[in-house]
Amino acid sequence: MGAGKATTASKRRRRAVPWAVLGLWIALLALTAPFAAKLADVQHDRVTDYLPASADSTQVAKIQEQLPGGESTELVLVYHREGGLSGADRETAARQVEEIADKHELVGRTDVPEGVPSDDGTTLMYPLVSNEPGTDEELRDALVEDVRGIAHGQDARDGLSVEVGGTGALATDAGKVYDSLGGPLLYTTVAVVALLLVLIYRSPVLWLVPLVVAGVADYLSMGVAYGLNQTFGTTVSGQSSGVMTILVFGAGTDYALLLVSRYREELRRVERPYDAMTAALRGCGPAVLASSGTVAVGLLCLLAADLNSSRGMGPLGTVGVLCALIAMLTLLPAILVLLGRRVFWPLVPAFGSEPKQRRRNLFAAMGSSAGRRPLTVLATGAVLLGALALGTLNLPGPVKQEDSFVDKPEAVTAMETLARAYPQHGTQPIDVIAPGERADRALAAIRDTRGVESAEKGRTGDGWTEISVIARDAPQSAGETATIRALRTELEGSYVGGASAQQIDLEDTNSRDTKIVVPLVLVSVLLILIGLLRSLVAPLLLVAAVVAVWGAALGIGGLVFGPVLGFEGTDPGLGLLSFVFLVALGVDYGIFLMHRMREESLAGAEPVAAALTALRTTGSVIASAGLVLAATFAVLTNMGLVQLVELGFVIAVGVLLDTFLVRTYLVTSASVALRRKVWWPGALSREPGEGGRSGEPTEPPRQPERVAAP
C-alpha cells in the first residue's frame, strides 16, 4: 500500500510540476510586461551613448547639453550646379537661408549667415548652427526636416542641387537606420530561426515550441534591460538592444537544440516524458549552464571598456543570454513534457526503439578521417586558418562618418559634394568648450593655432563658453587631425570635440579597450572551462581554436569588405566586439563536444572512441546550432550601417568556420592525437590502473532503460 501511495504521489508530481512552472512564467510575464513596453522610451542613439566615457569629445557633448538651448545642431546647406552657379541660383540660396534664419535661432549671428563659395564657382556652402531651446533628438530631427523642406522647396531651380548635410543631418539620417533595428530586425530574426527549425526538426509542431519560448525570453529580457537602465543607468542604444535580441534567439535556440536532442534520445530509453526530461536536463544541463556562463562572463568583461557603446552592450547581452538560458531550462521543458511525445510527430521517438541509422553519417565519416590521420588533419587546418588570417592585412582603415552608411543618405552626399568642391577646406566645425573666464584667451590661442581657418564664440553658460572652429583641411584628413591634436595640446583646461574629434577618440579608446578587455575575456573563459572540464590542456585547446577562428573570420572580412562590398573603412570597434562574441559563443560548441567526450570517458570508453563517439552524437546538434546562430547574426548584414554589417558578417563567418571546421575536424583531431593527455592533469589523464587508480570513478556503459508504467 505504501508503494501504491508513493506511485500516486509520483504521478501527481509529474503532472503538477510542469503546470506550476508554466503558471510561474505567466505570472513573471505579467509582472514584466509594463517594464518591457517602456524599453523603447529609454533607448537613445545620442552621440554620448557611443563615445568614450572619459574622452574630450564626450565632455564637449555633455557640456553642450547643459548650455542655453541644449546641444547645438550643426547643419551645412550645399548649393551646387555643374558648370557654375548663376546669379539666380545665389538669389535662391540667399532667400532660403534668410527664411531659415527667420524661423530658427542660429548661433553667434544676428543676421543672415554668409555663404562660402568654392573656387570653381560651382558650389555655395552655408554653415548653420542652431541652439533653439530644448534641442533634443526629436526637435533636432524636426529642425533638420524643416530645413530640408525649405531647401527642397519650390524656389529651387532645375539643375540646381540643394542638399542639407552636417553633423545634425548625419545624426538624423543615422537615427532612421537605428529605428529600423527594432521591428524589422526582430521580424527577420524570427523568420530566419523559424525556417531553420522547420528544416532541422521536420515537424509541423515542434519548431514552434522553442521559437515561442525564445520570444518569451526576449520579452523578459526587455523588461530586465529597462530595470537595469532605471536602477544603474545602463546605456540602451539601438545597437545594444538589437544585439540582445539576436543573442536571445541565437543562443536560446542553440540551448533548445541541445536539450531537445538529448530529450529525444532519453525518450527512447525512458517511458514517461517527465522522467525522460529529468534525465535530459541532468545530462546536458551542466554543458548548457557552462556555455551560457561563458558567454555571460565574456560579455560582462565589456564593462571594463571605456567606450560607452561597448560597455552598454555587455550588460544587455548578458541579460539576453541569461533570460534565454532560464527560459530554455524551465519553460521549454515544461511545455515539452505537457505536450508529450506527440510534439515530435511525425518522427515520434518510441520507447525502446533505436534511432534510424543513416547509411552514411557525415560526422562519423569526418571523425573517421580525423581518427586515421589526426596530425595531418590538424596541420592542414592550422595552415588554412593561418592563410585566411592574412586577409586582415587587407582590412580598410577606420571608417569615416560619411562612409558608415550602406545606402548613402542626403547628409553623406552633401559631404561628398563639399569634399569635391572644397578639397583643401574644412567643412564641419570643431567644437571647443573653454572656461568662461578664459574664453577670450582661448579664442586668441585657437586663431593662432596652425591649421585653423576661423574661430567664433557662440553660447555661454554654466561657466563655459562654446567656440566654433573651422579647420583649413578637409574633415577627418591627416591635416585636420593634426589641428585637433594641436588644439588639445595648446588649450589647457578646455575640451575639443565635434565629429572629427569624436572619430579620433573612438579609434584611440578602442585600441585601449582591446588591450584590457581581450586578456580579461581569455582568463575568464579559461577559468570556466578549467572548472567544467577539470583539465588544463582541453581548455587551452578550445581557447586557441576560437582565437584562430576569430583571426580567420577577420581575414575573410578583409577579403570581402573592400573588394566585394565596396566599404571604405572598418568600424574601430570591430576587432574587440567580434573577439568577445566569437570567443564566448565559439567556446559553447567546444563545451558541448568536450563535455560529451568527458561523459564517454567516464563511462569507460577509450580516448579515441570517446572523441569519435562525442563527434558522432553531438555533430548534428552542433551543426544545427551553428547554422542557427550564424543565421541570426547574418541578419545584421541586412541593416543599413556599415559597422553592423561588418560585425554580423565576421561573427556569422566565424561561427560557420568554428562549427564545420574547427569543432568537427581540428578539436577532434587534437583530442585523438593527445589521447588521455587532453585531460591533463585531471584523473582522466591517467591510464587505467596507473597509481592504483583507473582515473575517476567510472560508470558502466548505459543500456536502454525500460521503465514500466504504474
Side-chain angles (χ1 to χ4, degrees):
M1 184 170 180
K5 289 183 178 180
T7 301
T8 302
S10 178
K11 290 176 63 176
R12 289 176 178 172
R13 184 179 69 253
R14 295 188 188 101
R15 288 195 297 266
V17 170
W19 284 110
V21 171
L22 189 60
L24 286 174
W25 268 97
I26 292 174
L28 181 61
L29 289 178
L31 292 173
T32 306
F35 304 105
K38 295 180 180 179
L39 183 63
D41 297 336
V42 298
Q43 177 181 312
H44 298 287
D45 293 291
R46 299 164 301 192
V47 171
T48 51
D49 295 325
Y50 289 87
L51 289 175
S54 61
D56 259 30
S57 57
T58 310
Q59 304 307 313
V60 168
K62 288 181 177 179
I63 294 172
Q64 284 177 329
E65 292 176 354
Q66 306 304 318
L67 290 177
E71 186 177 357
S72 62
T73 301
E74 298 170 350
L75 303 175
V76 180
L77 268 70
V78 183
Y79 295 86
H80 175 80
R81 183 188 290 274
E82 293 293 337
L85 294 169
S86 65
D89 293 336
R90 293 184 176 86
E91 290 177 4
T92 297
R95 186 164 52 251
Q96 290 184 347
V97 173
E98 184 175 3
E99 182 179 352
I100 293 169
D102 288 340
K103 293 183 63 176
H104 303 283
E105 181 181 345
L106 302 181
V107 173
R109 293 180 172 90
T110 58
D111 53 1
V112 179
E114 294 182 1
V116 180
S118 63
D119 292 338
D120 60 6
T122 63
T123 309
L124 188 61
M125 171 183 68
Y126 283 87
L128 306 178
V129 181
S130 172
N131 64 344
E132 291 183 318
T135 302
D136 57 13
E137 290 175 72
E138 292 184 2
L139 292 175
R140 177 203 65 203
D141 295 343
L143 170 65
V144 172
E145 294 304 323
D146 185 60
V147 171
R148 282 177 171 169
I150 296 173
H152 301 159
Q154 297 299 319
D155 284 338
R157 297 172 177 270
D158 292 340
L160 175 64
S161 167
V162 187
E163 296 170 320
V164 179
T167 55
L170 198 64
T172 294
D173 291 338
K176 294 177 181 178
V177 177
Y178 281 116
D179 289 342
S180 70
L181 296 181
L185 178 65
L186 175 62
Y187 305 146
T188 307
T189 302
V190 170
V192 168
V193 173
L195 177 61
L196 289 175
L197 287 177
V198 169
L199 295 175
I200 291 168
Y201 286 138
R202 291 171 291 169
S203 167
V205 179
L206 181 57
W207 66 273
L208 191 58
V209 179
L211 190 65
V212 169
V213 173
V216 170
D218 185 48
Y219 198 68
L220 176 63
S221 69
M222 292 169 63
V224 177
Y226 176 80
L228 286 178
N229 173 269
Q230 296 299 296
T231 306
F232 302 105
T234 303
T235 300
V236 180
S237 65
Q239 185 184 54
S240 60
S241 61
V243 169
M244 181 179 72
T245 293
I246 284 178
L247 282 173
V248 170
F249 281 91
T253 305
D254 280 5
Y255 304 150
L257 287 168
L258 188 67
L259 177 63
V260 171
S261 175
R262 192 61 176 260
Y263 177 51
R264 188 198 297 266
E265 183 181 329
E266 297 296 339
L267 282 172
R268 300 183 188 278
R269 300 178 53 247
V270 183
E271 185 173 7
R272 301 184 186 90
Y274 180 90
D275 296 331
M277 181 58 73
T278 301
L281 287 170
R282 188 181 300 117
C284 70
V288 172
L289 286 170
S291 65
S292 61
T294 302
V295 178
V297 170
L299 290 172
L300 285 177
C301 289
L302 286 172
L303 287 172
D306 190 40
L307 198 65
N308 282 337
S309 55
S310 297
R311 193 168 64 229
M313 191 178 293
L316 261 67
T318 301
V319 165
V321 169
L322 294 183
C323 287
L325 170 72
I326 295 169
M328 295 304 170
L329 290 187
T330 57
L331 181 59
L332 178 63
I335 295 176
L336 289 175
V337 169
L338 290 173
L339 293 176
R341 295 175 186 270
R342 60 185 177 273
V343 74
F344 289 93
W345 185 86
L347 305 175
V348 179
F351 171 57
S353 66
E354 292 293 331
K356 183 179 179 181
Q357 298 292 333
R358 298 180 181 178
R359 291 185 178 180
R360 297 187 65 182
N361 185 302
L362 172 63
F363 297 100
M366 296 173 77
S368 178
S369 63
R372 287 194 304 269
R373 299 180 181 86
L375 294 178
T376 301
V377 171
L378 193 60
T380 303
V383 170
L384 175 60
L385 291 176
L388 290 174
L390 292 176
T392 56
L393 300 176
N394 197 49
L395 283 170
V399 65
K400 296 181 179 179
Q401 283 188 320
E402 61 265 29
D403 297 326
S404 61
F405 297 89
V406 176
D407 298 318
K408 296 179 182 179
E410 181 180 340
V412 171
T413 59
M415 298 281 286
E416 291 177 343
T417 301
L418 290 174
R420 291 191 299 268
Y422 305 85
Q424 303 298 326
H425 191 284
T427 55
Q428 65 183 16
I430 299 169
D431 299 326
V432 175
I433 297 293
E437 69 277 7
R438 287 187 283 177
D440 291 334
R441 280 179 290 169
L443 180 61
I446 291 170
R447 288 172 173 169
D448 290 339
T449 301
R450 184 176 180 180
V452 172
E453 176 76 18
S454 63
E456 183 176 353
K457 286 200 297 185
R459 293 174 297 170
T460 299
D462 200 24
W464 297 97
T465 295
E466 182 181 50
I467 302 174
S468 182
V469 182
I470 297 293
R472 292 196 181 100
D473 298 286
Q476 298 184 34
S477 63
E480 190 199 41
T481 298
T483 300
I484 291 172
R485 296 194 184 279
L487 288 172
R488 287 179 169 174
T489 301
E490 295 293 332
L491 301 177
E492 184 179 354
S494 300
Y495 299 109
V496 180
S500 298
Q502 291 164 9
Q503 199 68 17
I504 295 171
D505 291 336
L506 286 174
E507 295 172 27
D508 292 346
T509 306
N510 269 299
S511 176
R512 172 261 179 201
D513 287 349
T514 299
K515 296 174 184 176
I516 294 176
V517 175
V518 166
L520 278 178
V521 172
L522 291 176
V523 171
S524 302
V525 169
L526 270 174
L527 290 176
I528 292 177
L529 291 176
I530 290 170
L532 175 70
L533 301 176
R534 302 177 193 178
S535 163
L536 286 178
V537 176
L540 287 172
L541 172 64
L542 293 180
V543 170
V546 292
V547 171
V549 164
W550 170 67
L554 271 182
I556 294 175
L559 300 175
V560 171
F561 293 157
V564 178
L565 300 180
F567 293 162
E568 298 293 333
T570 55
D571 179 45
L574 176 64
L576 175 61
L577 292 179
S578 61
F579 178 86
V580 171
F581 282 111
L582 280 178
V583 169
L585 293 170
V587 166
D588 272 15
Y589 304 135
I591 289 174
F592 297 161
L593 181 67
M594 298 298 286
H595 186 266
R596 187 58 182 259
M597 194 184 304
R598 192 171 187 276
E599 271 192 282
E600 297 296 330
S601 298
L602 286 171
E606 289 299 313
V608 175
L612 299 183
T613 300
L615 177 60
R616 186 177 64 252
T617 54
T618 65
S620 60
V621 178
I622 291 176
S624 300
L627 283 172
V628 171
L629 190 62
T632 54
F633 272 97
V635 171
L636 287 175
T637 62
N638 196 40
M639 298 297 107
L641 289 175
V642 167
Q643 53 263 44
L644 293 180
V645 174
E646 291 175 343
L647 181 65
F649 179 88
V650 170
I651 295 177
V653 168
V655 168
L656 292 176
L657 279 176
D658 190 70
T659 302
F660 293 101
L661 174 63
V662 174
R663 289 301 143 230
T664 49
Y665 266 127
L666 303 191
V667 172
T668 301
S669 298
S671 300
V672 169
L674 291 170
R675 296 179 181 264
R676 293 188 181 276
K677 293 178 182 177
V678 77
W679 303 113
W680 185 88
L684 283 175
S685 64
R686 293 186 278 273
E687 295 290 340
E690 182 181 338
R693 295 180 60 189
S694 58
E696 296 189 7
T698 60
E699 302 172 355
R702 294 180 302 174
Q703 299 295 328
E705 177 184 348
R706 297 179 182 270
V707 182

